[in-house]
Amino acid sequence: FAFPNISLAGDNEEIKFGFYADRVVVATQTILFNEALNRRITEIGNRVAKASERTDMKYTFRVINDPTINAYSAAGGFVYINTGLLDILESEDELAAVMAHELVHTNNNHQINFIYAAHRRRVAGQVAGIFLGAALGVAGGMAMGPAPSTYSPNYGMHQQLTQQMFDLGSRAGMEMGNAIGISMITGYGKKQELEADALAVQYAKKAGYDPNALIGVFKKLISIRNRLGITPQNYISSLINAEPGLEERIKNAELILNPDKNKQTKEERRDE
């Protein structure tokens, strides 16, 4: 069967997908309601969004009260920033660079395309690599989190939203198999992460921010990762652990920001 076309801004399925993902995040995570901070985050996010290719999208920016150093996004223009990330950032340029990266993910439908690609790798009637966490588009963000206790007032909402998410996925043409695993992913894959980095520096520059800030953030994350001994097994963060790794992402961003240096390097190799 054919997958729905979701390339146009405002596509109904894309918006529905993002809406239900956001409802789960709101129901299961602690949203930080700090008027001044939320207003500033939204101002920066919208400024970067105006520099993107999808200026007609309505974006929603939320701050999540979570010490994990991470940011993530969902389809339909939803972007989430953890307080753990805000604690280590030192400038608006750095925040804008990270938000630009997440805006690329939501603008370019990386979430939904990731799910469809996994569907095509279906094995023995089940979808290889598809988990509800991936369906919610929260790359390592733990949007689902642990299921609430059956005695929790959020339990009914959690169950209802999970079922709605499954139903929506089915209508979009996905087969989840006989069982749905709840797990977390650490990024959308090498190609998507490099694409998000490449466009992020362009978005940031066009919006009037320092595009080199993304490299500064990556270097900071390397220092934190090495100091704390962070691994994908003990720390789930797409910013830190996503493929192809921080070192390669720095090199990729440097080549984009310094194309003349890239050209010079290639010429030197030919001369050798």
CSV table of all heavy atoms in Angstrom, one decimal, residues 19 22 49 56 58 74 87 97 115 121 134-135 138 144 154 156 172-173 180 193 213 226 236 253 264:
chain,number,residue,atom,x,y,z
A,19,PHE,N,0.0,16.3,17.3
A,19,PHE,CA,-1.0,16.7,18.3
A,19,PHE,C,-1.0,15.6,19.4
A,19,PHE,O,-1.0,15.8,20.6
A,19,PHE,CB,-2.4,16.9,17.7
A,19,PHE,CG,-3.4,17.1,18.8
A,19,PHE,CD1,-3.5,18.3,19.5
A,19,PHE,CD2,-4.3,16.1,19.1
A,19,PHE,CE1,-4.5,18.5,20.5
A,19,PHE,CE2,-5.2,16.3,20.1
A,19,PHE,CZ,-5.4,17.5,20.8
A,22,ASP,N,2.2,15.3,21.4
A,22,ASP,CA,2.3,16.3,22.3
A,22,ASP,C,1.3,16.1,23.5
A,22,ASP,O,1.7,16.3,24.7
A,22,ASP,CB,1.9,17.7,21.7
A,22,ASP,CG,2.0,18.8,22.7
A,22,ASP,OD1,3.2,19.1,23.2
A,22,ASP,OD2,1.0,19.5,23.0
A,49,ALA,N,12.5,29.8,13.5
A,49,ALA,CA,11.5,29.2,12.6
A,49,ALA,C,11.3,30.0,11.3
A,49,ALA,O,11.1,29.5,10.2
A,49,ALA,CB,10.2,28.9,13.3
A,56,ASP,N,5.0,28.8,7.4
A,56,ASP,CA,3.6,28.8,7.6
A,56,ASP,C,3.2,27.8,8.7
A,56,ASP,O,2.0,27.6,9.0
A,56,ASP,CB,2.8,28.5,6.3
A,56,ASP,CG,3.3,27.2,5.7
A,56,ASP,OD1,4.4,26.7,6.1
A,56,ASP,OD2,2.7,26.7,4.8
A,58,LYS,N,2.7,26.4,12.5
A,58,LYS,CA,2.5,27.0,13.8
A,58,LYS,C,3.3,26.1,14.8
A,58,LYS,O,3.1,24.9,14.9
A,58,LYS,CB,1.1,26.9,14.2
A,58,LYS,CG,0.8,27.5,15.6
A,58,LYS,CD,-0.6,27.5,16.0
A,58,LYS,CE,-0.8,28.1,17.4
A,58,LYS,NZ,-2.3,28.1,17.8
A,74,ALA,N,8.5,16.7,17.9
A,74,ALA,CA,7.5,15.8,17.3
A,74,ALA,C,7.0,16.4,16.1
A,74,ALA,O,7.2,17.6,15.8
A,74,ALA,CB,6.3,15.6,18.3
A,87,ASP,N,20.5,24.3,31.6
A,87,ASP,CA,21.5,24.5,32.7
A,87,ASP,C,22.9,24.6,32.1
A,87,ASP,O,23.8,25.3,32.8
A,87,ASP,CB,21.4,23.4,33.7
A,87,ASP,CG,20.2,23.5,34.6
A,87,ASP,OD1,19.6,24.6,34.6
A,87,ASP,OD2,19.8,22.5,35.2
A,97,ALA,N,20.9,27.5,18.2
A,97,ALA,CA,21.5,26.4,17.4
A,97,ALA,C,20.8,25.1,17.7
A,97,ALA,O,20.5,24.3,16.7
A,97,ALA,CB,23.0,26.3,17.6
A,115,ILE,N,9.6,6.2,11.1
A,115,ILE,CA,8.6,5.1,11.3
A,115,ILE,C,8.3,4.4,10.0
A,115,ILE,O,8.3,3.1,10.0
A,115,ILE,CB,7.4,5.7,12.0
A,115,ILE,CG1,7.7,6.3,13.3
A,115,ILE,CG2,6.3,4.7,12.1
A,115,ILE,CD1,6.6,7.1,13.9
A,121,ARG,N,11.1,-2.3,6.8
A,121,ARG,CA,12.0,-3.3,7.2
A,121,ARG,C,11.3,-4.4,8.0
A,121,ARG,O,12.0,-5.1,8.8
A,121,ARG,CB,13.2,-2.7,8.0
A,121,ARG,CG,14.1,-1.7,7.2
A,121,ARG,CD,15.3,-1.4,8.0
A,121,ARG,NE,15.1,-0.7,9.2
A,121,ARG,CZ,15.0,0.6,9.4
A,121,ARG,NH1,15.2,1.4,8.3
A,121,ARG,NH2,14.8,1.1,10.6
A,134,ALA,N,9.4,5.8,19.5
A,134,ALA,CA,9.7,6.3,18.2
A,134,ALA,C,8.5,6.9,17.5
A,134,ALA,O,8.6,8.0,16.9
A,134,ALA,CB,10.3,5.2,17.3
A,135,ALA,N,7.4,6.2,17.7
A,135,ALA,CA,6.2,6.8,17.1
A,135,ALA,C,5.8,8.1,17.7
A,135,ALA,O,5.2,8.9,17.0
A,135,ALA,CB,5.0,5.8,17.3
A,138,VAL,N,10.0,11.3,19.9
A,138,VAL,CA,10.9,11.9,20.9
A,138,VAL,C,12.2,11.2,21.0
A,138,VAL,O,12.3,10.2,21.7
A,138,VAL,CB,10.2,11.9,22.3
A,138,VAL,CG1,9.1,12.9,22.4
A,138,VAL,CG2,9.6,10.6,22.7
A,144,MET,N,7.1,9.2,26.6
A,144,MET,CA,6.2,8.3,27.2
A,144,MET,C,6.5,8.2,28.7
A,144,MET,O,5.6,8.2,29.6
A,144,MET,CB,6.2,6.9,26.6
A,144,MET,CG,5.4,6.8,25.3
A,144,MET,SD,3.6,7.2,25.5
A,144,MET,CE,3.2,5.8,26.6
A,154,ASN,N,-3.6,9.9,36.2
A,154,ASN,CA,-3.2,10.0,34.8
A,154,ASN,C,-3.3,8.7,34.1
A,154,ASN,O,-3.1,8.7,32.9
A,154,ASN,CB,-1.8,10.6,34.7
A,154,ASN,CG,-1.7,12.0,35.1
A,154,ASN,OD1,-2.7,12.8,35.0
A,154,ASN,ND2,-0.6,12.4,35.7
A,156,GLY,N,-5.8,6.6,33.3
A,156,GLY,CA,-6.8,6.5,32.2
A,156,GLY,C,-6.4,7.3,31.0
A,156,GLY,O,-6.6,6.8,29.9
A,172,ALA,N,-2.5,5.7,9.4
A,172,ALA,CA,-1.4,6.2,8.5
A,172,ALA,C,-0.7,5.1,7.7
A,172,ALA,O,0.1,5.4,6.9
A,172,ALA,CB,-0.4,6.9,9.3
A,173,GLY,N,-1.1,3.9,7.9
A,173,GLY,CA,-0.6,2.8,7.1
A,173,GLY,C,0.5,1.9,7.8
A,173,GLY,O,1.2,1.2,7.2
A,180,ILE,N,3.3,-4.2,21.0
A,180,ILE,CA,4.0,-2.9,20.8
A,180,ILE,C,4.9,-2.7,22.0
A,180,ILE,O,4.5,-2.8,23.2
A,180,ILE,CB,3.0,-1.7,20.9
A,180,ILE,CG1,2.0,-1.8,19.7
A,180,ILE,CG2,3.7,-0.4,20.8
A,180,ILE,CD1,1.0,-0.8,19.6
A,193,GLU,N,20.5,13.1,11.2
A,193,GLU,CA,21.2,14.0,12.2
A,193,GLU,C,22.1,14.9,11.5
A,193,GLU,O,22.2,16.1,11.8
A,193,GLU,CB,21.9,13.1,13.2
A,193,GLU,CG,21.0,12.3,14.2
A,193,GLU,CD,20.0,13.1,14.9
A,193,GLU,OE1,20.3,14.3,15.3
A,193,GLU,OE2,18.9,12.6,15.2
A,213,ALA,N,27.9,28.4,17.0
A,213,ALA,CA,27.4,28.0,18.3
A,213,ALA,C,27.1,26.5,18.4
A,213,ALA,O,27.3,25.9,19.4
A,213,ALA,CB,26.2,28.8,18.7
A,226,ASN,N,32.6,12.8,28.3
A,226,ASN,CA,33.9,12.2,28.8
A,226,ASN,C,34.1,12.3,30.3
A,226,ASN,O,34.6,11.3,30.9
A,226,ASN,CB,35.0,12.8,28.0
A,226,ASN,CG,35.0,12.5,26.5
A,226,ASN,OD1,34.3,11.7,26.1
A,226,ASN,ND2,35.8,13.3,25.8
A,236,ILE,N,20.3,8.2,28.2
A,236,ILE,CA,19.6,8.3,26.9
A,236,ILE,C,19.4,9.8,26.5
A,236,ILE,O,18.6,10.5,27.1
A,236,ILE,CB,18.2,7.6,27.1
A,236,ILE,CG1,18.4,6.2,27.5
A,236,ILE,CG2,17.5,7.7,25.7
A,236,ILE,CD1,19.2,5.3,26.6
A,253,ALA,N,29.9,19.9,10.5
A,253,ALA,CA,29.4,21.3,10.7
A,253,ALA,C,30.6,22.3,10.3
A,253,ALA,O,30.3,23.3,9.7
A,253,ALA,CB,29.0,21.5,12.1
A,264,GLN,N,40.2,23.4,0.0
A,264,GLN,CA,41.6,23.4,0.1
A,264,GLN,C,42.1,22.0,0.5
A,264,GLN,O,43.1,21.5,0.0
A,264,GLN,CB,42.0,24.4,1.1
A,264,GLN,CG,43.6,24.5,1.3
A,264,GLN,CD,43.9,25.6,2.3
A,264,GLN,OE1,43.1,26.3,2.8
A,264,GLN,NE2,45.2,25.6,2.7
